[in-house]
Amino acid sequence: VAARAPPAPVRNLAATATDSAVLLTWSAPSTDNGSAITSIIVEQSLTGGVFTPAGGAIAADATRVQITGLENGQTYSFRVTARNAAGSSDPAIITETPRTTPSAPLRFVEITPH
């Protein structure tokens, strides 16, 4: 039995920037439209550029992926697509800018002589 339609898009796509990386998280599509999700496709681009595969092989039930090797200060667009036997969902798209995160502040302890 062939799938009736591609799955719904992934939901709640969020991005968290870190040093030279972005963590993407999402929720599974609300419906697979009669055919199990077979893969999740994650792509990246410098905003306005061509999308290319990112994150390596991603399991069909995955809900997060860390994209590494990014350039701090550059804004990237990411799109996440669910796929089943009937095709691909509409992509969920988000932008984020990786950045160096400041280190934790030093803790000063006052020492008083006795």
Side-chain angles (χ1 to χ4, degrees), residues 16-100:
T16 304
T18 59
D19 186 12
S20 301
V22 170
L23 174 65
L24 300 175
T25 58
W26 61 88
S27 299
S30 60
T31 180
D32 62 15
N33 283 322
S35 181
I37 306 288
T38 56
S39 62
I40 298 291
I41 309 299
V42 176
E43 297 169 298
Q44 73 183 43
S45 80
L46 284 170
T47 299
V50 174
F51 279 93
T52 58
I58 300 169
D61 61 350
T63 56
R64 63 187 294 146
V65 66
Q66 177 104 3
I67 309 298
T68 59
L70 304 175
E71 186 177 336
N72 287 335
Q74 290 287 333
T75 299
Y76 291 84
S77 293
F78 301 93
R79 66 183 181 192
V80 179
T81 306
R83 184 173 286 164
N84 68 10
S88 297
S89 70
D90 290 334
I93 300 174
I94 197 166
T95 59
E96 186 58 273
T97 305
R99 60 188 170 273
T100 303

